[in-house]
Amino acid sequence: MSEKSKFSGCPATGIGSMPGGDAREAARTVTGSFADGQGMPYLAELPARGPGADMIGRTIGLLVEMYGHVEPSGWRISDRPGRDTRRARSWLGEDLDALEEFTQGYEGLLKVQAVGPWSLAAALELRGGEAMLGDPGACRDLAGSLAEGLRAHLAEVRRRMPGAQIVLQLDEPSLTAVLLGRVRSASGYRTYRAVDRQVVEATLRDVLAVNGDGATVVHSCAPEVPFALLRRAGADGISFDFSLLTEREEETIGEAVEGGTQLFLGVLPGTDAASAGLSDPGGSVMGVRTLWSRLGLNPGTLTESVVITPSCGLAGASPTYARAVLAHCARAARSLADNPE
């Protein structure tokens, strides 16, 4: 299977989080928005329900022989599964039940998300209150636990939705900060040392590999996405906020496209915005056409290389806007296909 063919038939998708706390309504929205080949449905996250439904808590609920609980400062490592871990697992089960209900007989691409090993290490505290990121041994243990937990999670999703082709997305919003030594300590007065790029790459490669021949995506809505590192780590797709792309990164984008990496371009705001331009699908992707032209890329490759998304998750949006922006992503992708130049 070629790199590009892993995402064939996926013109648009969402990032992961949705507003509200109704699992069935979220599942209905993400499957309905991308029905009939309009895009890729996904397992929604509903952080408004509270700790355990947030992306960090959900991923901690997936860990094997490693547990977490909520402190005022955030998630902290625990000796045994307590109320917060059990709640995270319960909500995941509820979300899977809802998605299973709305994907009966579905045979296309289906995306699941988890926090990647480095953003998780930056967010999860050791017992003393410092981030796991400051302890290389703890980072290795965390990545191993995450890989094992994801393997079991993917198997469960495949059991429930046997016709779907599962895409694994790792959310790594803190990855650039980890690489550049910008993650602040508990006191806030210092930062953790930058992690060696080869260590970061190797760890990501190991975690992405749990999806076997299935497609993988790494998402970051932060500036300075390390495109080349993610490609070397084996990501089939890279998801990012298109508005944060700088001129100096354009050459890297061209190399990624020519190398078969799928670009998940966040072209619409993740929260209600008057400037979102939801009445003009073609206008939403004008910048994408312009970039292609500037790089001298063949406009005919746009639909093979690009997936249209919101810039980040939709947890902070209104339910009305969330529904509208997902539908708009599908329309904008269709506009790009119909008029690539």
Side-chain angles (χ1 to χ4, degrees):
M1 182 183 290
S2 71
E3 298 283 334
K4 290 180 182 177
S5 68
K6 289 186 177 182
F7 296 101
S8 61
C10 175
T13 191
I15 300 302
S17 65
M18 293 289 287
D22 187 330
R24 291 186 77 254
E25 181 58 32
R28 180 186 290 111
T29 298
V30 298
T31 54
S33 299
F34 302 121
D36 303 320
Q38 296 299 302
M40 176 166 55
Y42 54 95
L43 179 63
E45 300 157 358
L46 301 172
R49 291 182 297 198
D54 59 301
M55 68 179 198
I56 297 294
R58 162 158 291 182
T59 304
I60 288 170
L62 296 174
L63 298 176
V64 173
E65 295 182 0
M66 195 174 280
Y67 315 103
H69 66 275
V70 179
E71 294 280 343
S73 54
W75 283 89
R76 185 169 294 183
I77 205 76
S78 295
D79 292 323
R80 58 185 64 85
R83 179 185 61 187
D84 297 325
T85 301
R86 287 194 295 270
R87 188 166 48 200
R89 291 174 176 173
S90 174
W91 273 328
L92 174 59
E94 185 180 308
D95 294 338
L96 282 168
D97 288 344
L99 187 63
E100 183 178 6
E101 177 185 345
F102 287 97
T103 53
Q104 293 294 312
Y106 178 71
E107 295 185 341
L109 294 167
L110 180 72
K111 182 164 66 72
V112 299
Q113 306 83 218
V115 179
W118 295 108
S119 294
L120 195 59
L124 184 54
E125 299 173 356
L126 295 165
R127 289 175 183 83
E130 291 294 342
M132 294 187 87
L133 185 63
D135 183 332
C139 288
R140 282 192 297 274
D141 292 344
L142 179 63
S145 174
L146 175 62
E148 194 173 341
L150 279 173
R151 205 172 278 115
H153 177 48
L154 293 169
E156 171 69 2
V157 175
R158 288 190 176 97
R159 183 187 68 77
R160 287 170 173 260
M161 298 133 213
Q165 303 157 51
I166 308 303
V167 175
L168 171 63
Q169 174 181 303
L170 295 183
D171 293 317
E172 281 283 11
S174 300
L175 183 59
T176 300
V178 167
L179 289 165
L180 298 179
R182 294 176 181 168
V183 178
R184 294 206 164 273
S185 65
S187 67
Y189 293 120
R190 65 179 181 86
T191 56
Y192 295 105
R193 179 181 298 178
V195 181
D196 182 88
R197 297 180 79 86
Q198 290 185 325
V199 173
V200 170
E201 182 184 323
T203 302
L204 282 169
R205 185 181 298 111
D206 289 346
V207 177
L208 288 168
V210 303
N211 202 28
D213 292 334
T216 56
V217 182
V218 177
H219 168 72
S220 173
C221 49
E224 302 175 77
V225 175
F227 293 99
L229 183 150
L230 294 175
R231 290 180 61 216
R232 290 195 304 270
D236 299 306
I238 300 174
S239 171
F240 59 98
D241 182 342
F242 187 67
S243 71
L244 298 179
L245 194 65
T246 64
E247 198 173 310
R248 67 174 179 272
E249 293 170 304
E250 289 186 359
E251 185 178 341
T252 310
I253 291 292
E255 291 170 357
V257 170
E258 290 172 350
T261 302
Q262 198 87 5
L263 302 180
F264 287 62
L265 304 181
V267 299
L268 290 155
T271 54
D272 301 51
S275 61
L278 297 187
S279 61
D280 182 12
S284 300
V285 289
M286 185 61 71
V288 181
R289 294 188 184 96
T290 302
L291 174 63
W292 238 245
S293 174
R294 201 159 54 236
L295 292 174
L297 295 168
N298 178 359
T301 65
L302 267 170
T303 53
E304 301 170 4
S305 305
V306 165
V307 177
I308 299 301
T309 74
S311 59
C312 209
L314 297 171
S318 68
T320 300
Y321 179 79
R323 286 191 295 271
V325 80
L326 292 181
H328 185 86
C329 284
R331 289 196 299 271
R334 197 157 56 244
S335 164
L336 207 56
D338 292 344
N339 182 21
E341 296 189 57

